Amino acid sequence: MKVYEALSVYKPMIEGFQKLNVGIDYAKYLDLYNEFVRLKNEGHKITYIVAYLATEYEVSERTVYKIVNRFEKEI
């Protein structure tokens, strides 16, 4: 499959992500979010989870909050 073909097939989905202001680069944070949900379900406090994930994934705490807010946004 060529890039043009892939873009043609996934164009509606890509446009939907653009409208939600979610770039495809957010896909790299799926594991971070899955771990956030797991830790939250285990009863850990949000501030602890954010600090832990920021260290674990080498991003700022603000980035973790931004990712969580973006992923939890209703579409």
Side-chain angles (χ1 to χ4, degrees):
M1 178 180 280
K2 296 185 183 204
V3 173
Y4 171 78
E5 295 167 337
L7 286 173
S8 295
V9 170
Y10 295 108
K11 181 181 176 187
M13 188 180 306
I14 293 168
E15 288 173 343
F17 284 132
Q18 287 175 330
K19 287 179 184 175
L20 295 171
N21 196 26
V22 176
I24 58 173
D25 56 324
Y26 274 85
K28 66 184 175 186
Y29 296 121
L30 288 172
D31 292 336
L32 182 149
Y33 183 73
N34 286 333
E35 196 162 353
F36 174 85
V37 171
R38 180 184 63 80
L39 292 168
K40 187 176 172 187
N41 288 340
E42 289 177 2
H44 297 284
K45 295 187 177 200
I46 301 297
T47 52
Y48 165 78
I49 297 170
V50 169
Y52 169 75
L53 292 175
T55 302
E56 189 73 19
Y57 288 89
E58 299 177 350
V59 296
S60 70
E61 290 184 13
R62 182 66 218 138
T63 299
V64 175
Y65 280 115
K66 186 171 128 181
I67 291 164
V68 169
N69 287 335
R70 191 71 48 94
F71 281 14
E72 291 185 346
K73 186 177 182 179
E74 288 289 330
I75 54 172

